[in-house]
Every structure is written in structure tokens, then in C-alpha cells.
């Protein structure tokens, strides 16, 4: 069975390090940009982003917009960090 392209290289040290660095950079950009606020957690030794919604003004549209915001900013950050993978 073909491997899902989004999982290609998963588990390889260089890929795992890149993903951790990408998530760190993405967290910084999201917080500085003010478009969305997320925090981080370490899960299974990996640096991950997490959304913890506690503001009662947060609506469904805010929650539904978050994945696209993260993906959009993440694509830019990934393109900038990827050359470092070399």
C-alpha cells in the first residue's frame, strides 16, 4: 500500500527535527501576527501546537477558521525553513 505523502519521512530524525522547528516558528508567527492564538505542548517528546479556547466571545467561525490560518502561515514558514534541511 502506498505511503500517504503527508506522512513521508515520518519518524526520520531530520524530518522530526524539522517539524519541531516548524511548529516553534509557526507558534511565534501566530502569536506575533495576532490573527490567532495557540500555545504549545510536548506530546511524546514532540513539540506540538494546541488550541485551548477559553474566551467566551470565541465563535464557531473563529474555530473553523483556525486550521486554514495555521496552514497558510505554516506553508510560508515551511518554505523558508526547508532549505535548512539540505
Amino acid at each position: 500500500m502506498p505511503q500517504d505523502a503527508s506522512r513521508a519521512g515520518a519518524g526520520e530524525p531530520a524530518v522530526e527535527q524539522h517539524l519541531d522547528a516548524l511548529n516553534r516558528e509557526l507558534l511565534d508567527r501566530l502569536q506575533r501576527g495576532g490573527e490567532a492564538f495557540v500555545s504549545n505542548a510536548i506530546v511524546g517528546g514532540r513539540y506540538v501546537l494546541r488550541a485551548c479556547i477559553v474566551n467566551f466571545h470565541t465563535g464557531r467561525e473563529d474555530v473553523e477558521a483556525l486550521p486554514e490560518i495555521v496552514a497558510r502561515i505554516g506553508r510560508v514558514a515551511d518554505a523558508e525553513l526547508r532549505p535548512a534541511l539540505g
Side-chain angles (χ1 to χ4, degrees):
M1 179 173 282
Q3 185 178 19
D4 181 340
S6 67
R7 301 282 182 198
E12 294 178 18
V15 172
E16 301 294 321
Q17 289 173 356
H18 175 72
L19 292 174
D20 286 348
L22 177 59
N23 280 338
R24 288 177 194 278
E25 180 65 23
L26 185 50
L27 176 68
D28 183 58
R29 291 181 189 208
L30 286 164
Q31 289 179 342
R32 282 187 292 118
E35 193 173 1
F37 184 80
V38 297
S39 61
N40 72 297
I42 304 296
V43 178
R46 301 296 316 284
Y47 190 96
V48 298
L49 303 179
R50 71 181 188 103
C52 179
I53 300 164
V54 295
N55 186 328
F56 65 90
H57 292 294
T58 301
R60 169 176 251 144
E61 62 279 357
D62 298 311
V63 175
E64 290 174 348
L66 186 58
E68 177 51 38
I69 293 167
V70 171
R72 177 174 36 83
I73 295 171
R75 282 189 292 271
V76 173
D78 182 53
E80 293 172 6
L81 292 176
R82 193 165 289 276
L85 269 179

